[in-house]
Amino acid sequence: MILLLALATMATVLVLCHPGRDGDLPQRIVVAATNRLPADRHTWSRALVAELAAVDGFGRRWRFAAGVARIALFPPARQPTTARTTAAIGCAATVVTTLATLRFLPTLSIFVAAFGLMTSAGATAIACRRPRSSTGSAHLVAAALAVSGVLAAVGAVIALAATHPAATRDQTHIFSLVLAATLTAYLITGLSATAPAKVTPLTVWSGVAGAGGAVLASAIVLPTGAIVALIPPITVAAALATGTLVGVATRNRVAAARAGVIAAVLSMPAHFAIAVIAAQSARPTTLTNPYDIAAYARSGSPDVASYVLGDDLAGNIVSLATTLLAVYAAAAVAAVAPRSSIEPTA
Amino acid sequence: MTRTRRPSAQTIAVLAALAEQPARWRYGYDLCTQLGVQAGSMYPILMRLADRGLLETTWESEHQPGRPPRHLYRLTGAGVAYAAAVPPGPEAAPQPVRRPRPQARHA
């Protein structure tokens, strides 16, 4: 994971500092950020880029770029009441669930608080960007699949923590924070697939079908007990098959890549939940002999349950999530002019 | 239902700055420097005002070579009336960008 993060950081820096690109770093940030503004703010995107050209001074340009990045993340909402309501509900739900977790499952409180805050911020950002137009059924199904998968993953962690409290007793809380950030990223990415302006229904339906097929294949393999080892190949195969089929059907590379990514993103939280539950039920304890204990002692985990959780988290979900996030980050930074590569809406 | 939500102090300051000379077109960054408001706050304010029909925008017709034309802003008639109707709060006074830093006392 550290290697992937380092690679993602290096790729981002290399793309930002590429000498072939126009302008200084603040200008590239502004161009990339304004390209992420909603389509109905296109005039403002041009205005912000033009305004930066008149801003002199290193610090002033950086402050301006930081402000534009903030606008890109939380643009003025077309439906401000919806955005405010979303933020208020998210904050209230986070406070209530965190207090409840502190009372009943204190080892999960950091995870719940972090997940709630990040999810609320993500939901508010999506609400700010949501256009007035209605959402199609394909996008609603994709959103429902994303929410269901993340809820299943959270439910699996809660079940594990309730059964084995030591599994989430992480003094550094690093796994709690990583898991919260990962699941939030999955949720936001899945919900972003509901932006009808950028993704056609065919792409979304294909991604949903690929994710559904992957989860179904996992359910079929589940009784064999080999589910944990087979999940990454199943996910990769589903993503590749989905992307290939969409590419053949549409002859559009962007659509094919998006469909494959949607399939992988939507299936992984459900896979994570399946893997955690399957690993627990298939081998509730691996401490069958002194050699296991010796090996376990070097695992760095306080008990078997935490080893399972950490193994699933690091092995199954974080690696793929980090890869996907790295791809998205590189694409976001590299896409100085992404509007030309936006998948045409049929 | 009519929106009765009171605008923020920064919005009031922007309205007041634009209402000083309603016929004059202003640059966004000039408003930032005049009022001491960061771009991340100023442009969302301008966008909301434009969304509500209180602000009109245009592109400058004459611009420096090598630079793209900049966006210009001024209040509409409704914006002027709205700015006049909004009572300025004590916190709405424009702040300069660079405030003089107090001299450190040396014992």
Side-chain angles (χ1 to χ4, degrees):
Chain A
M1 186 180 77
I2 293 171
L3 179 64
L4 284 169
L5 283 173
L7 286 174
T9 306
M10 282 175 59
T12 304
V13 170
L14 283 173
V15 168
L16 279 171
C17 299
H18 193 277
R21 294 196 175 280
D22 295 331
D24 57 1
L25 208 47
Q27 183 177 348
R28 294 175 204 172
I29 292 172
V30 168
V31 170
T34 52
N35 278 324
R36 298 293 159 197
L37 281 172
D40 56 355
R41 300 286 190 193
H42 181 55
T43 304
W44 290 95
S45 300
R46 287 177 51 210
L48 288 163
V49 173
E51 202 65 16
L52 179 69
V55 179
D56 296 320
F58 181 81
R60 291 191 187 121
R61 289 177 69 79
W62 269 104
R63 279 195 295 275
F64 190 90
V68 174
R70 202 201 93 181
I71 297 170
L73 192 59
F74 295 102
R78 289 290 187 188
Q79 303 172 71
T81 305
T82 304
R84 277 195 292 271
T85 305
T86 303
I89 291 174
C91 289
T94 300
V95 170
V96 170
T97 50
T98 303
L99 290 176
T101 309
L102 275 171
R103 171 75 174 82
F104 298 107
L105 276 173
T107 58
L108 270 190
S109 57
I110 297 290
F111 165 71
V112 169
F115 182 62
L117 283 175
M118 285 189 274
T119 306
S120 301
T124 305
I126 290 174
C128 286
R129 308 176 68 84
R130 177 65 59 197
R132 289 184 188 276
S133 59
S134 59
T135 302
S137 56
H139 305 95
L140 286 176
V141 172
L145 203 56
V147 172
S148 304
V150 170
L151 288 179
V154 173
V157 173
I158 290 174
L160 187 69
T163 311
H164 306 280
T168 49
R169 194 176 296 149
D170 168 25
Q171 295 300 324
T172 64
H173 300 293
I174 185 67
F175 270 120
S176 294
L177 296 174
V178 169
L179 180 58
T182 307
L183 291 179
T184 306
Y186 271 105
L187 195 57
I188 291 172
T189 310
L191 292 177
S192 297
T194 67
K198 289 193 175 181
V199 187
T200 61
L202 172 66
T203 302
V204 180
W205 276 124
S206 304
V208 168
V215 175
L216 187 63
S218 302
I220 292 171
V221 177
L222 186 60
T224 68
I227 183 69
V228 174
L230 285 175
I231 278 181
I234 288 174
T235 305
V236 172
L240 285 177
T242 305
T244 305
L245 289 174
V246 172
V248 169
T250 63
R251 297 186 180 279
N252 185 318
R253 278 186 306 169
V254 177
R258 282 205 170 122
V261 168
I262 289 173
V265 165
L266 293 183
S267 63
M268 275 313 290
H271 275 159
F272 173 75
I274 291 172
V276 168
I277 294 169
Q280 279 294 288
S281 58
R283 43 184 171 86
T285 174
T286 57
L287 304 180
T288 54
N289 59 59
Y291 298 103
D292 281 347
I293 295 173
Y296 175 67
R298 289 195 294 272
S299 71
S301 302
D303 71 351
V304 177
S306 62
Y307 178 77
V308 170
L309 180 61
D311 191 45
D312 284 327
L313 180 62
N316 285 332
I317 193 167
V318 170
S319 58
L320 182 65
T322 316
T323 306
L324 291 174
L325 291 175
V327 170
Y328 266 99
V333 173
V336 172
R339 291 187 188 283
S340 60
S341 64
I342 285 175
E343 178 189 349
T345 52
Chain B
M1 189 170 64
T2 306
R3 183 179 174 178
T4 55
R5 184 183 169 87
R6 179 181 168 80
S8 67
Q10 287 182 326
T11 303
I12 293 173
V14 172
L15 285 167
L18 289 166
E20 286 173 1
Q21 294 174 288
R24 179 184 165 202
W25 290 99
R26 303 289 303 273
Y27 294 116
Y29 191 68
D30 288 352
L31 288 168
C32 291
T33 53
Q34 177 187 339
L35 300 175
V37 176
Q38 295 294 330
S41 300
M42 173 62 71
Y43 282 92
I45 290 171
L46 296 175
M47 290 179 195
R48 290 191 194 97
L49 291 176
D51 288 345
R52 296 171 63 188
L54 303 176
L55 190 76
E56 59 181 325
T57 65
T58 188
W59 295 97
E60 65 180 358
S61 54
E62 297 176 2
H63 57 94
Q64 294 182 19
R67 281 186 176 178
R70 296 167 69 185
H71 222 198
L72 293 161
Y73 312 96
R74 72 178 181 188
L75 292 176
T76 61
V80 173
Y82 182 75
V86 174
E91 71 282 13
Q95 299 293 321
V97 177
R98 293 180 180 275
R99 295 173 199 166
R101 189 174 289 181
Q103 296 289 327
R105 290 183 180 178
H106 300 282

